[in-house]
Structures are given as structure tokens and as C-alpha cells.
Amino acid sequence: MTLRDIADRAGVRVGAAAPIGTLRADETYRSVLVREFNAMTPENETKWLGLQPSPGEWHWDDADYMVDLADEHGMQVRGHTLVWPHAGIPDHVRDATDAHQLRSWMTHHIQTTLDHFRGRIPRWDVVNEPMHWGEGRLAEGSFLDLLGPGYIAEAFTIAHEADPGIELWLNETHADVLGGKLPELRRIVEEMLDADVPLHGIGLQTHCLYPDFSPNLPTGEHLNGIVQTFADYGLDVAITEMDMLTDPEQPDRLEAQGALYEELVDAALQVDGCREITFWGFTDGVTWINEIFSPDRAPLLLDADYEPKPAYDAIERALQRRAERFTTGPS
Ligand code: XIL
């Protein structure tokens, strides 16, 4: 039984991010991805920088390859991401100085992208990381400076008008471990809902980057509370980018990693409104962690030879519990 078999029985998505280079070049990588997962997030290929690096210069090939592959294997794609105020955007967007120009670029980018993928990508992270990385306030940058905080609602409204049939998500990082972020995220969400902005879901990235980037580890109890908080607004909630650093010096690190993965994924899946767990990759051989952090941090479910780690078994058990609960009905 694969992860996707169990996820299908549970009525949830289990996804992985993947980069186009490895996907095109490595048959084993590709076959494990489509065997184990029923959802996929292009790691960089549907970002603004990936799709339209300069005004009017569109690169569809890589993203189309991924969407076609997903379609062929019955996987759903999560579009990531239309507007990311401080990364994954071309220089001309980041350095914009004219509000009218930036608004017109944003409108055109969203409309053209959603037109292209109409009927093929059912949900998009419309705005990614609207908040400052480590603090409970909006991220600085051209969008906030020129368009004001309303750019978030504007992006959602443009997306909804461009394609009323898709789910529109707000995706944020580290709201689970950095104290000031959760209240601010709630404020943003409440303001959007009060103004009837078309918002369908909240993505919690859930990168577990302790201790390098994060002062503490998340706990299941805390994550469960956060997922429930957003579900209580009537929104869908997803874990969208999960991975977890380990310490190469710790002898039982893979077991400890498996235990925390299980605690967190269980905690999220206990909430009915959480119907997606996506990992930011699936093999320790192919992960952004290998580029950004020190070597051998082993953040994912399979080792570099695609052998299952304790983390894989942990996720299998967590999905299994959701499947059992699903067949017996919510408590
Ligand atoms: C990362 C990719 O994994 C890298 O390949 C790229 O160089 C930078 O972006 N939060 C996000 C993702 O929302 O888009 C980021 O992906 C990881 C952090």
C-alpha cells in the first residue's frame, strides 16, 4: 500500500513539491513521486519568476510538463504562487516604483496565468508569505509600499474574477512556531472574510527548521489548535510545505524525526477541515535543504536511495488513522 492509496481512502491529499530538472531527468524520481503521492506542487515553476521572468516573456513548458504528468497519474496540482511579495519574483517587480505599473503587472500576471491553466490547476496559493519572515507584521516590499496592505485582497479578487471555479489560498510560514505571527495572520484573514474577499483556504507551510531558522520546535497540540482556528472560520486548511531538519550528531535522529512527523501530521489530520498534507520534496537526495542548510540534515520521508525512513512509516500510520476515522465518521 502506498501513501496515496491510504490518502485516497481517507479522502485527503498527500502531496510533494518537485523541481522540474530532476523530474525530467530522473525516471526513478518521477516514478516514486507518481506512485506515492496524489498531489504535487511545482517547486519553482509556477512562481512569477518561473512563468514570466520579464514583462510579456512567458515560459510555460516546465509547468505544462508537470501539470500533464500530474494529470496522467490522477494527481492534483497546487499552483504556487501568484504573488509572493519578497521572493520568487522578477527584479522589475521587486524594484517597482510606480503603483499603477505594479498593479497592472499584477493583474496581467494573474489573469494570464489562470487563463493558461484553466481547468487544470484546481487551487492556487494566491499570496505566499504576506508576512515578515520572523515577525507579526506584513512583509515589506514593493507590493506593500506601493499598493498598501489591500494588495492581498486585490490579488484574490483579480484571481476570482479570472477563474471563479478555483480555490484561492493564502499561504504562510512559521505561524506555528513564531509567537507574533499567528495573531497577525488571524487579523489578515478576519479582515478578508469581513470584506467578503474570495478566500477558500489557509496553507500552513510547516517547514520545521529548528534550530537553524526557528527558535523552537512545533508541538502537535499547538499545531492542532492553529489548524482548528482557521477551520473554525469555515476555511479549508492544508499543511503545504512540510520538511524537518535533523541533527547529524544525534544518534536516534531518524526515529525522533519520525515521532515528530507523526505527532504533527496526526494533529493536523485530526481536524476535518484539513484535507491536505504536502511535503517540500520526498527524498533526502533532492531538497532545497541541501542547498540552503548544512549537509546531511535528512529532512524528508525517503532516504537518498528512496528507502523509506521512520518518517515514512509515521506518515503512513497518521494517514491510516484518518482513513479509519473517515470510514467510521467524525467523532
Ligand atoms: C524554495 C525552493 O525550494 C528553492 O528551490 C528556491 O530556490 C527557493 O524557494 N517557502 C516557499 C517555497 O513558499 O516556495 C520555497 O521554495 C521554500 C520556502
Side-chain angles (χ1 to χ4, degrees):
M1 188 104 75
T2 63
L3 295 182
R4 70 178 285 176
D5 290 334
I6 310 172
D8 285 345
R9 281 182 35 220
V12 299
R13 298 183 295 280
V14 62
I20 187 64
T22 320
L23 210 47
R24 280 193 198 270
D26 188 334
E27 154 66 23
T28 310
Y29 180 87
R30 201 165 55 236
S31 63
V32 175
L33 175 73
V34 303
R35 184 188 75 209
E36 294 292 336
F37 298 94
N38 61 12
M40 167 200 309
T41 303
E43 189 167 339
N44 292 301
E45 298 70 14
T46 48
K47 291 172 182 170
W48 192 325
L49 185 60
L51 285 178
Q52 194 197 181
S54 60
E57 180 200 341
W58 290 91
H59 292 202
W60 303 113
D61 281 9
D62 290 343
D64 282 342
Y65 173 94
M66 300 176 101
V67 174
D68 288 347
L69 182 77
D71 191 40
E72 201 182 311
H73 293 278
M75 304 164 81
Q76 293 195 18
V77 174
R78 182 174 198 94
H80 176 80
T81 171
L82 295 170
V83 174
W84 189 2
H86 51 88
I89 43 173
D91 290 351
H92 71 275
V93 176
R94 195 196 53 213
D95 301 336
T97 52
D98 180 87
H100 177 75
Q101 177 71 270
L102 181 61
R103 180 172 282 117
S104 135
W105 279 332
M106 175 170 88
T107 306
H108 182 68
H109 182 77
I110 294 174
Q111 287 172 344
T112 309
T113 302
L114 295 186
D115 261 352
H116 182 84
F117 293 111
R118 192 178 302 278
R120 298 159 74 211
I121 296 187
R123 61 187 60 79
W124 278 87
D125 295 330
V126 176
V127 177
N128 189 38
E129 300 183 358
M131 293 169 62
H132 183 276
W133 189 86
E135 293 171 23
R137 60 185 168 90
L138 291 177
E140 282 137 13
S142 53
F143 288 92
L144 184 64
D145 293 352
L146 298 176
L147 306 183
Y151 83 86
I152 301 172
E154 275 189 58
F156 277 78
T157 303
I158 295 164
H160 184 66
E161 280 166 9
D163 189 347
I166 57 175
E167 292 173 19
L168 306 179
W169 290 66
L170 185 67
N171 200 42
E172 188 48 88
T173 191
H174 282 79
D176 50 340
V177 280
L178 294 174
K181 292 196 76 169
L182 183 60
E184 175 68 358
L185 185 57
R186 289 186 63 164
R187 189 196 61 75
I188 296 169
V189 167
E190 280 176 16
E191 204 173 280
M192 290 173 77
L193 294 175
D194 284 350
D196 287 329
V197 174
L199 168 68
H200 303 106
I202 302 300
L204 302 169
Q205 293 185 6
T206 327
H207 290 287
C208 300
L209 305 180
Y210 172 83
D212 305 41
F213 269 28
S214 149
N216 42 52
L217 281 168
T219 66
E221 192 186 349
H222 188 50
L223 184 63
N224 175 267
I226 297 176
V227 173
Q228 189 66 59
T229 295
F230 291 111
D232 286 345
Y233 289 114
L235 297 167
D236 280 352
V237 186
I239 304 297
T240 51
E241 305 188 14
M242 196 171 201
D243 51 16
M244 192 181 292
L245 297 180
T246 62
D247 173 2
E249 305 293 318
Q250 186 188 340
D252 65 344
R253 64 175 177 150
L254 297 187
E255 287 70 27
Q257 180 189 48
L260 185 56
Y261 260 124
E262 187 161 358
E263 178 183 331
L264 296 176
V265 172
D266 252 340
L269 289 179
Q270 267 159 23
V271 180
D272 289 347
C274 177
R275 285 192 295 270
E276 175 180 336
I277 308 288
T278 286
F279 301 92
W280 208 243
F282 57 94
T283 162
D284 290 342
V286 184
T287 153
W288 72 309
I289 299 293
N290 291 344
E291 286 145 39
I292 310 260
F293 297 85
S294 56
D296 193 23
R297 305 303 292 275
L300 292 163
L301 309 187
L302 305 177
D303 70 15
D305 297 318
Y306 301 101
E307 290 301 323
K309 296 163 59 189
Y312 178 95
D313 301 333
I315 301 310
E316 194 173 42
R317 286 192 295 272
L319 289 169
Q320 192 71 48
R321 275 189 286 275
R322 172 74 176 229
E324 278 155 22
R325 204 163 63 78
F326 183 77
T327 35
T328 52
S331 52

